[in-house]
Amino acid sequence: QVQVMESGGGSAQAGGSLRLSCATVPETQRYCTGWFRQVSGKEREGIAFIARNRRITYVDSVKGRFTISQDDASSPLFLQMNDLKPEDTAKYYCAADLTPRAADCGWARLDRHATWGQGTEVTVSS
């Protein structure tokens, strides 16, 4: 069974940077991958998505600050987070759909079909 594993969380000061990584074990083609975050007691928020064809989308709150990237669809996925703000504090999850589908790569597809990681904590202090 394929597992999704995140790493790279931690603490940063406001204005600082962190980079999260996500990998599938064993290495597996991902057709749609995304980063989500959740604050305790609040709904999970999808923040960045990348399709196998490299089409990328971001939620407005992270545009211009966060960058999702991967060399190819089976290599590790990264989320470079710059200019961090205290409101970025959350548990961050990687989610990957390992099956090709016609649906667009985004929150709805991953919410329904993804394999999820355990999450990694990010804390940003002011």
mmCIF file of all heavy atoms in Angstrom, residues 24-66:
data_model
loop_
_atom_site.group_PDB
_atom_site.id
_atom_site.type_symbol
_atom_site.label_atom_id
_atom_site.label_comp_id
_atom_site.label_asym_id
_atom_site.label_seq_id
_atom_site.Cartn_x
_atom_site.Cartn_y
_atom_site.Cartn_z
ATOM 1 N N THR A 24 5.850 9.844 -1.867
ATOM 2 C CA THR A 24 5.084 8.609 -1.816
ATOM 3 C C THR A 24 6.061 7.448 -1.630
ATOM 4 O O THR A 24 7.132 7.423 -2.239
ATOM 5 C CB THR A 24 4.263 8.398 -3.090
ATOM 6 O OG1 THR A 24 5.100 8.574 -4.226
ATOM 7 C CG2 THR A 24 3.101 9.371 -3.170
ATOM 8 N N VAL A 25 5.671 6.517 -0.760
ATOM 9 C CA VAL A 25 6.513 5.360 -0.463
ATOM 10 C C VAL A 25 5.693 4.088 -0.687
ATOM 11 O O VAL A 25 4.664 3.904 -0.014
ATOM 12 C CB VAL A 25 7.014 5.396 0.986
ATOM 13 C CG1 VAL A 25 7.886 4.189 1.286
ATOM 14 C CG2 VAL A 25 7.783 6.688 1.249
ATOM 15 N N PRO A 26 6.059 3.205 -1.645
ATOM 16 C CA PRO A 26 7.184 3.374 -2.570
ATOM 17 C C PRO A 26 6.914 4.490 -3.575
ATOM 18 O O PRO A 26 5.783 4.977 -3.694
ATOM 19 C CB PRO A 26 7.254 2.008 -3.258
ATOM 20 C CG PRO A 26 5.857 1.503 -3.206
ATOM 21 C CD PRO A 26 5.301 1.980 -1.895
ATOM 22 N N GLU A 27 7.958 4.890 -4.297
ATOM 23 C CA GLU A 27 7.832 5.956 -5.278
ATOM 24 C C GLU A 27 6.760 5.590 -6.305
ATOM 25 O O GLU A 27 6.799 4.499 -6.909
ATOM 26 C CB GLU A 27 9.174 6.164 -5.979
ATOM 27 C CG GLU A 27 9.244 7.455 -6.763
ATOM 28 C CD GLU A 27 10.639 7.717 -7.274
ATOM 29 O OE1 GLU A 27 11.415 8.353 -6.545
ATOM 30 O OE2 GLU A 27 10.941 7.287 -8.397
ATOM 31 N N THR A 28 5.798 6.472 -6.488
ATOM 32 C CA THR A 28 4.605 6.173 -7.281
ATOM 33 C C THR A 28 4.214 7.413 -8.074
ATOM 34 O O THR A 28 4.355 8.541 -7.570
ATOM 35 C CB THR A 28 3.438 5.780 -6.348
ATOM 36 O OG1 THR A 28 3.842 4.720 -5.480
ATOM 37 C CG2 THR A 28 2.209 5.339 -7.149
ATOM 38 N N GLN A 29 3.690 7.217 -9.263
ATOM 39 C CA GLN A 29 3.165 8.334 -10.057
ATOM 40 C C GLN A 29 2.008 9.001 -9.318
ATOM 41 O O GLN A 29 1.098 8.348 -8.850
ATOM 42 C CB GLN A 29 2.659 7.831 -11.410
ATOM 43 C CG GLN A 29 3.729 7.583 -12.435
ATOM 44 C CD GLN A 29 4.262 8.851 -13.071
ATOM 45 O OE1 GLN A 29 3.541 9.836 -13.222
ATOM 46 N NE2 GLN A 29 5.532 8.838 -13.432
ATOM 47 N N ARG A 30 2.068 10.312 -9.263
ATOM 48 C CA ARG A 30 0.969 11.086 -8.703
ATOM 49 C C ARG A 30 0.308 11.876 -9.835
ATOM 50 O O ARG A 30 0.985 12.541 -10.596
ATOM 51 C CB ARG A 30 1.473 12.067 -7.638
ATOM 52 C CG ARG A 30 2.226 11.440 -6.476
ATOM 53 C CD ARG A 30 2.604 12.503 -5.445
ATOM 54 N NE ARG A 30 3.396 13.558 -6.054
ATOM 55 C CZ ARG A 30 4.732 13.529 -6.111
ATOM 56 N NH1 ARG A 30 5.398 12.505 -5.624
ATOM 57 N NH2 ARG A 30 5.394 14.515 -6.675
ATOM 58 N N TYR A 31 -1.000 11.803 -9.943
ATOM 59 C CA TYR A 31 -1.708 12.473 -11.028
ATOM 60 C C TYR A 31 -2.259 13.821 -10.600
ATOM 61 O O TYR A 31 -2.549 14.675 -11.426
ATOM 62 C CB TYR A 31 -2.798 11.557 -11.579
ATOM 63 C CG TYR A 31 -2.199 10.362 -12.280
ATOM 64 C CD1 TYR A 31 -1.874 9.209 -11.578
ATOM 65 C CD2 TYR A 31 -1.901 10.412 -13.631
ATOM 66 C CE1 TYR A 31 -1.281 8.129 -12.205
ATOM 67 C CE2 TYR A 31 -1.303 9.342 -14.278
ATOM 68 C CZ TYR A 31 -0.991 8.208 -13.552
ATOM 69 O OH TYR A 31 -0.402 7.149 -14.182
ATOM 70 N N CYS A 32 -2.382 13.982 -9.325
ATOM 71 C CA CYS A 32 -2.817 15.254 -8.756
ATOM 72 C C CYS A 32 -2.342 15.260 -7.324
ATOM 73 O O CYS A 32 -2.578 14.297 -6.590
ATOM 74 C CB CYS A 32 -4.342 15.394 -8.825
ATOM 75 S SG CYS A 32 -5.016 16.788 -7.902
ATOM 76 N N THR A 33 -1.658 16.315 -6.935
ATOM 77 C CA THR A 33 -1.139 16.403 -5.574
ATOM 78 C C THR A 33 -1.426 17.787 -5.024
ATOM 79 O O THR A 33 -1.389 18.768 -5.760
ATOM 80 C CB THR A 33 0.376 16.154 -5.528
ATOM 81 O OG1 THR A 33 0.718 15.070 -6.405
ATOM 82 C CG2 THR A 33 0.842 15.803 -4.125
ATOM 83 N N GLY A 34 -1.682 17.839 -3.751
ATOM 84 C CA GLY A 34 -1.976 19.126 -3.161
ATOM 85 C C GLY A 34 -1.527 19.220 -1.728
ATOM 86 O O GLY A 34 -1.280 18.214 -1.061
ATOM 87 N N TRP A 35 -1.402 20.440 -1.279
ATOM 88 C CA TRP A 35 -1.125 20.743 0.114
ATOM 89 C C TRP A 35 -2.378 21.361 0.734
ATOM 90 O O TRP A 35 -2.998 22.260 0.158
ATOM 91 C CB TRP A 35 0.034 21.715 0.247
ATOM 92 C CG TRP A 35 1.366 21.107 -0.029
ATOM 93 C CD1 TRP A 35 2.061 21.170 -1.189
ATOM 94 C CD2 TRP A 35 2.158 20.337 0.867
ATOM 95 N NE1 TRP A 35 3.241 20.482 -1.076
ATOM 96 C CE2 TRP A 35 3.330 19.962 0.182
ATOM 97 C CE3 TRP A 35 2.007 19.914 2.196
ATOM 98 C CZ2 TRP A 35 4.343 19.190 0.772
ATOM 99 C CZ3 TRP A 35 3.010 19.160 2.773
ATOM 100 C CH2 TRP A 35 4.159 18.797 2.068
ATOM 101 N N PHE A 36 -2.719 20.849 1.885
ATOM 102 C CA PHE A 36 -3.838 21.349 2.675
ATOM 103 C C PHE A 36 -3.295 21.778 4.036
ATOM 104 O O PHE A 36 -2.214 21.353 4.448
ATOM 105 C CB PHE A 36 -4.890 20.255 2.885
ATOM 106 C CG PHE A 36 -5.614 19.850 1.640
ATOM 107 C CD1 PHE A 36 -4.993 19.082 0.666
ATOM 108 C CD2 PHE A 36 -6.937 20.221 1.431
ATOM 109 C CE1 PHE A 36 -5.667 18.699 -0.488
ATOM 110 C CE2 PHE A 36 -7.625 19.833 0.288
ATOM 111 C CZ PHE A 36 -6.986 19.077 -0.669
ATOM 112 N N ARG A 37 -4.051 22.593 4.724
ATOM 113 C CA ARG A 37 -3.682 22.925 6.094
ATOM 114 C C ARG A 37 -4.945 23.011 6.940
ATOM 115 O O ARG A 37 -6.034 23.297 6.433
ATOM 116 C CB ARG A 37 -2.878 24.221 6.172
ATOM 117 C CG ARG A 37 -3.612 25.469 5.741
ATOM 118 C CD ARG A 37 -2.657 26.652 5.697
ATOM 119 N NE ARG A 37 -3.323 27.888 5.310
ATOM 120 C CZ ARG A 37 -2.693 29.025 5.074
ATOM 121 N NH1 ARG A 37 -1.366 29.092 5.194
ATOM 122 N NH2 ARG A 37 -3.373 30.095 4.727
ATOM 123 N N GLN A 38 -4.762 22.765 8.212
ATOM 124 C CA GLN A 38 -5.911 22.790 9.113
ATOM 125 C C GLN A 38 -5.490 23.289 10.483
ATOM 126 O O GLN A 38 -4.503 22.832 11.053
ATOM 127 C CB GLN A 38 -6.539 21.396 9.235
ATOM 128 C CG GLN A 38 -7.852 21.389 9.995
ATOM 129 C CD GLN A 38 -8.592 20.077 9.855
ATOM 130 O OE1 GLN A 38 -7.989 19.033 9.595
ATOM 131 N NE2 GLN A 38 -9.895 20.110 10.015
ATOM 132 N N VAL A 39 -6.252 24.229 10.974
ATOM 133 C CA VAL A 39 -6.111 24.708 12.347
ATOM 134 C C VAL A 39 -7.147 23.991 13.181
ATOM 135 O O VAL A 39 -8.282 23.797 12.738
ATOM 136 C CB VAL A 39 -6.318 26.233 12.410
ATOM 137 C CG1 VAL A 39 -6.259 26.722 13.853
ATOM 138 C CG2 VAL A 39 -5.279 26.953 11.557
ATOM 139 N N SER A 40 -6.766 23.590 14.361
ATOM 140 C CA SER A 40 -7.679 22.855 15.227
ATOM 141 C C SER A 40 -8.999 23.600 15.385
ATOM 142 O O SER A 40 -9.016 24.797 15.682
ATOM 143 C CB SER A 40 -7.022 22.645 16.596
ATOM 144 O OG SER A 40 -7.885 21.943 17.456
ATOM 145 N N GLY A 41 -10.087 22.899 15.133
ATOM 146 C CA GLY A 41 -11.401 23.494 15.277
ATOM 147 C C GLY A 41 -11.905 24.200 14.040
ATOM 148 O O GLY A 41 -13.034 24.690 14.020
ATOM 149 N N LYS A 42 -11.077 24.240 13.004
ATOM 150 C CA LYS A 42 -11.482 24.899 11.766
ATOM 151 C C LYS A 42 -11.467 23.902 10.613
ATOM 152 O O LYS A 42 -10.904 22.819 10.708
ATOM 153 C CB LYS A 42 -10.556 26.081 11.453
ATOM 154 C CG LYS A 42 -10.657 27.212 12.461
ATOM 155 C CD LYS A 42 -9.904 28.424 11.973
ATOM 156 C CE LYS A 42 -10.092 29.595 12.926
ATOM 157 N NZ LYS A 42 -9.372 30.809 12.466
ATOM 158 N N GLU A 43 -12.113 24.300 9.510
ATOM 159 C CA GLU A 43 -12.172 23.427 8.335
ATOM 160 C C GLU A 43 -10.791 23.337 7.672
ATOM 161 O O GLU A 43 -9.987 24.263 7.715
ATOM 162 C CB GLU A 43 -13.176 24.000 7.327
ATOM 163 C CG GLU A 43 -14.594 24.027 7.837
ATOM 164 C CD GLU A 43 -15.561 23.386 6.863
ATOM 165 O OE1 GLU A 43 -15.201 23.215 5.689
ATOM 166 O OE2 GLU A 43 -16.676 23.071 7.289
ATOM 167 N N ARG A 44 -10.552 22.192 7.057
ATOM 168 C CA ARG A 44 -9.322 22.008 6.296
ATOM 169 C C ARG A 44 -9.354 22.890 5.054
ATOM 170 O O ARG A 44 -10.387 23.012 4.398
ATOM 171 C CB ARG A 44 -9.206 20.538 5.915
ATOM 172 C CG ARG A 44 -7.931 20.141 5.233
ATOM 173 C CD ARG A 44 -7.857 18.633 5.109
ATOM 174 N NE ARG A 44 -8.989 18.114 4.386
ATOM 175 C CZ ARG A 44 -9.367 16.830 4.406
ATOM 176 N NH1 ARG A 44 -8.701 15.989 5.142
ATOM 177 N NH2 ARG A 44 -10.405 16.425 3.706
ATOM 178 N N GLU A 45 -8.220 23.496 4.746
ATOM 179 C CA GLU A 45 -8.116 24.425 3.620
ATOM 180 C C GLU A 45 -7.115 23.900 2.605
ATOM 181 O O GLU A 45 -5.962 23.610 2.950
ATOM 182 C CB GLU A 45 -7.658 25.802 4.138
ATOM 183 C CG GLU A 45 -7.431 26.821 3.055
ATOM 184 C CD GLU A 45 -6.796 28.105 3.583
ATOM 185 O OE1 GLU A 45 -6.057 28.056 4.585
ATOM 186 O OE2 GLU A 45 -7.027 29.162 2.965
ATOM 187 N N GLY A 46 -7.525 23.780 1.361
ATOM 188 C CA GLY A 46 -6.609 23.417 0.299
ATOM 189 C C GLY A 46 -5.880 24.654 -0.178
ATOM 190 O O GLY A 46 -6.522 25.656 -0.487
ATOM 191 N N ILE A 47 -4.545 24.629 -0.222
ATOM 192 C CA ILE A 47 -3.813 25.851 -0.515
ATOM 193 C C ILE A 47 -3.020 25.811 -1.812
ATOM 194 O O ILE A 47 -2.753 26.864 -2.402
ATOM 195 C CB ILE A 47 -2.880 26.239 0.644
ATOM 196 C CG1 ILE A 47 -1.869 25.126 0.951
ATOM 197 C CG2 ILE A 47 -3.696 26.580 1.884
ATOM 198 C CD1 ILE A 47 -0.804 25.542 1.944
ATOM 199 N N ALA A 48 -2.608 24.653 -2.277
ATOM 200 C CA ALA A 48 -1.808 24.590 -3.498
ATOM 201 C C ALA A 48 -1.971 23.220 -4.122
ATOM 202 O O ALA A 48 -1.990 22.218 -3.408
ATOM 203 C CB ALA A 48 -0.330 24.862 -3.204
ATOM 204 N N PHE A 49 -2.070 23.215 -5.457
ATOM 205 C CA PHE A 49 -2.309 21.963 -6.165
ATOM 206 C C PHE A 49 -1.441 21.919 -7.411
ATOM 207 O O PHE A 49 -1.235 22.937 -8.067
ATOM 208 C CB PHE A 49 -3.779 21.846 -6.575
ATOM 209 C CG PHE A 49 -4.732 22.035 -5.428
ATOM 210 C CD1 PHE A 49 -5.312 23.281 -5.204
ATOM 211 C CD2 PHE A 49 -5.027 20.997 -4.578
ATOM 212 C CE1 PHE A 49 -6.175 23.466 -4.146
ATOM 213 C CE2 PHE A 49 -5.892 21.182 -3.507
ATOM 214 C CZ PHE A 49 -6.467 22.417 -3.288
ATOM 215 N N ILE A 50 -0.950 20.717 -7.725
ATOM 216 C CA ILE A 50 -0.173 20.548 -8.948
ATOM 217 C C ILE A 50 -0.610 19.259 -9.623
ATOM 218 O O ILE A 50 -0.680 18.198 -9.002
ATOM 219 C CB ILE A 50 1.352 20.555 -8.662
ATOM 220 C CG1 ILE A 50 2.149 20.468 -9.953
ATOM 221 C CG2 ILE A 50 1.749 19.450 -7.691
ATOM 222 C CD1 ILE A 50 3.629 20.809 -9.762
ATOM 223 N N ALA A 51 -0.930 19.376 -10.890
ATOM 224 C CA ALA A 51 -1.331 18.214 -11.672
ATOM 225 C C ALA A 51 -0.101 17.590 -12.321
ATOM 226 O O ALA A 51 0.970 18.186 -12.380
ATOM 227 C CB ALA A 51 -2.338 18.638 -12.740
ATOM 228 N N ARG A 52 -0.283 16.376 -12.821
ATOM 229 C CA ARG A 52 0.826 15.678 -13.476
ATOM 230 C C ARG A 52 1.329 16.461 -14.689
ATOM 231 O O ARG A 52 2.503 16.402 -15.018
ATOM 232 C CB ARG A 52 0.389 14.272 -13.887
ATOM 233 C CG ARG A 52 1.514 13.413 -14.418
ATOM 234 C CD ARG A 52 1.073 11.970 -14.575
ATOM 235 N NE ARG A 52 2.124 11.132 -15.115
ATOM 236 C CZ ARG A 52 2.273 10.876 -16.409
ATOM 237 N NH1 ARG A 52 1.440 11.411 -17.280
ATOM 238 N NH2 ARG A 52 3.257 10.107 -16.822
ATOM 239 N N ASN A 53 0.420 17.220 -15.327
ATOM 240 C CA ASN A 53 0.838 18.038 -16.475
ATOM 241 C C ASN A 53 1.449 19.367 -16.032
ATOM 242 O O ASN A 53 1.661 20.256 -16.852
ATOM 243 C CB ASN A 53 -0.347 18.285 -17.418
ATOM 244 C CG ASN A 53 -1.459 19.099 -16.760
ATOM 245 O OD1 ASN A 53 -1.328 19.578 -15.649
ATOM 246 N ND2 ASN A 53 -2.563 19.234 -17.466
ATOM 247 N N ARG A 54 1.700 19.511 -14.721
ATOM 248 C CA ARG A 54 2.353 20.671 -14.121
ATOM 249 C C ARG A 54 1.442 21.898 -13.992
ATOM 250 O O ARG A 54 1.901 22.962 -13.627
ATOM 251 C CB ARG A 54 3.640 21.066 -14.846
ATOM 252 C CG ARG A 54 4.696 19.993 -14.821
ATOM 253 C CD ARG A 54 5.954 20.438 -15.534
ATOM 254 N NE ARG A 54 6.952 19.376 -15.545
ATOM 255 C CZ ARG A 54 7.860 19.200 -14.603
ATOM 256 N NH1 ARG A 54 7.913 20.008 -13.570
ATOM 257 N NH2 ARG A 54 8.728 18.207 -14.686
ATOM 258 N N ARG A 55 0.167 21.744 -14.272
ATOM 259 C CA ARG A 55 -0.754 22.863 -14.035
ATOM 260 C C ARG A 55 -0.851 23.093 -12.539
ATOM 261 O O ARG A 55 -1.073 22.160 -11.767
ATOM 262 C CB ARG A 55 -2.129 22.567 -14.613
ATOM 263 C CG ARG A 55 -3.117 23.722 -14.450
ATOM 264 C CD ARG A 55 -4.404 23.432 -15.207
ATOM 265 N NE ARG A 55 -5.351 24.539 -15.088
ATOM 266 C CZ ARG A 55 -6.289 24.598 -14.158
ATOM 267 N NH1 ARG A 55 -6.416 23.629 -13.280
ATOM 268 N NH2 ARG A 55 -7.110 25.635 -14.114
ATOM 269 N N ILE A 56 -0.682 24.325 -12.120
ATOM 270 C CA ILE A 56 -0.613 24.680 -10.702
ATOM 271 C C ILE A 56 -1.686 25.695 -10.361
ATOM 272 O O ILE A 56 -1.960 26.622 -11.143
ATOM 273 C CB ILE A 56 0.781 25.261 -10.364
ATOM 274 C CG1 ILE A 56 1.855 24.175 -10.464
ATOM 275 C CG2 ILE A 56 0.791 25.894 -8.980
ATOM 276 C CD1 ILE A 56 3.262 24.695 -10.334
ATOM 277 N N THR A 57 -2.293 25.524 -9.209
ATOM 278 C CA THR A 57 -3.233 26.517 -8.696
ATOM 279 C C THR A 57 -2.934 26.765 -7.220
ATOM 280 O O THR A 57 -2.450 25.876 -6.509
ATOM 281 C CB THR A 57 -4.699 26.078 -8.852
ATOM 282 O OG1 THR A 57 -4.865 24.792 -8.225
ATOM 283 C CG2 THR A 57 -5.094 25.973 -10.315
ATOM 284 N N TYR A 58 -3.225 27.983 -6.785
ATOM 285 C CA TYR A 58 -3.025 28.383 -5.391
ATOM 286 C C TYR A 58 -4.288 29.058 -4.871
ATOM 287 O O TYR A 58 -5.014 29.711 -5.620
ATOM 288 C CB TYR A 58 -1.886 29.395 -5.264
ATOM 289 C CG TYR A 58 -0.527 28.904 -5.658
ATOM 290 C CD1 TYR A 58 0.007 29.211 -6.909
ATOM 291 C CD2 TYR A 58 0.239 28.142 -4.788
ATOM 292 C CE1 TYR A 58 1.258 28.771 -7.273
ATOM 293 C CE2 TYR A 58 1.503 27.703 -5.145
ATOM 294 C CZ TYR A 58 2.007 28.017 -6.392
ATOM 295 O OH TYR A 58 3.261 27.582 -6.739
ATOM 296 N N VAL A 59 -4.500 28.953 -3.587
ATOM 297 C CA VAL A 59 -5.548 29.734 -2.945
ATOM 298 C C VAL A 59 -5.005 31.161 -2.782
ATOM 299 O O VAL A 59 -3.783 31.368 -2.681
ATOM 300 C CB VAL A 59 -5.926 29.103 -1.588
ATOM 301 C CG1 VAL A 59 -4.811 29.231 -0.584
ATOM 302 C CG2 VAL A 59 -7.223 29.671 -1.070
ATOM 303 N N ASP A 60 -5.892 32.134 -2.796
ATOM 304 C CA ASP A 60 -5.458 33.528 -2.786
ATOM 305 C C ASP A 60 -4.557 33.870 -1.601
ATOM 306 O O ASP A 60 -3.628 34.677 -1.719
ATOM 307 C CB ASP A 60 -6.674 34.463 -2.780
ATOM 308 C CG ASP A 60 -7.353 34.532 -4.137
ATOM 309 O OD1 ASP A 60 -6.765 34.062 -5.128
ATOM 310 O OD2 ASP A 60 -8.482 35.050 -4.201
ATOM 311 N N SER A 61 -4.802 33.259 -0.459
ATOM 312 C CA SER A 61 -4.075 33.634 0.755
ATOM 313 C C SER A 61 -2.586 33.291 0.713
ATOM 314 O O SER A 61 -1.806 33.821 1.511
ATOM 315 C CB SER A 61 -4.714 32.984 1.979
ATOM 316 O OG SER A 61 -4.694 31.577 1.864
ATOM 317 N N VAL A 62 -2.179 32.427 -0.220
ATOM 318 C CA VAL A 62 -0.763 32.053 -0.287
ATOM 319 C C VAL A 62 -0.111 32.458 -1.602
ATOM 320 O O VAL A 62 1.107 32.286 -1.764
ATOM 321 C CB VAL A 62 -0.546 30.545 -0.036
ATOM 322 C CG1 VAL A 62 -1.195 30.124 1.277
ATOM 323 C CG2 VAL A 62 -1.054 29.709 -1.203
ATOM 324 N N LYS A 63 -0.889 32.984 -2.541
ATOM 325 C CA LYS A 63 -0.325 33.380 -3.839
ATOM 326 C C LYS A 63 0.786 34.399 -3.645
ATOM 327 O O LYS A 63 0.652 35.348 -2.872
ATOM 328 C CB LYS A 63 -1.421 33.985 -4.718
ATOM 329 C CG LYS A 63 -2.246 32.981 -5.479
ATOM 330 C CD LYS A 63 -3.276 33.683 -6.353
ATOM 331 C CE LYS A 63 -4.187 32.703 -7.033
ATOM 332 N NZ LYS A 63 -5.258 33.358 -7.794
ATOM 333 N N GLY A 64 1.888 34.178 -4.358
ATOM 334 C CA GLY A 64 3.018 35.093 -4.267
ATOM 335 C C GLY A 64 3.948 34.815 -3.100
ATOM 336 O O GLY A 64 5.037 35.378 -3.029
ATOM 337 N N ARG A 65 3.515 33.955 -2.180
ATOM 338 C CA ARG A 65 4.361 33.627 -1.018
ATOM 339 C C ARG A 65 4.781 32.163 -1.010
ATOM 340 O O ARG A 65 5.889 31.832 -0.605
ATOM 341 C CB ARG A 65 3.622 33.938 0.291
ATOM 342 C CG ARG A 65 3.208 35.379 0.443
ATOM 343 C CD ARG A 65 2.665 35.658 1.848
ATOM 344 N NE ARG A 65 1.490 34.878 2.173
ATOM 345 C CZ ARG A 65 1.404 34.047 3.212
ATOM 346 N NH1 ARG A 65 2.437 33.889 4.024
ATOM 347 N NH2 ARG A 65 0.281 33.378 3.452
ATOM 348 N N PHE A 66 3.895 31.282 -1.434
ATOM 349 C CA PHE A 66 4.153 29.844 -1.435
ATOM 350 C C PHE A 66 4.350 29.356 -2.862
ATOM 351 O O PHE A 66 3.698 29.844 -3.792
ATOM 352 C CB PHE A 66 2.989 29.089 -0.816
ATOM 353 C CG PHE A 66 2.806 29.282 0.672
ATOM 354 C CD1 PHE A 66 3.492 30.263 1.375
ATOM 355 C CD2 PHE A 66 1.912 28.466 1.367
ATOM 356 C CE1 PHE A 66 3.308 30.431 2.735
ATOM 357 C CE2 PHE A 66 1.724 28.621 2.735
ATOM 358 C CZ PHE A 66 2.422 29.619 3.416
#
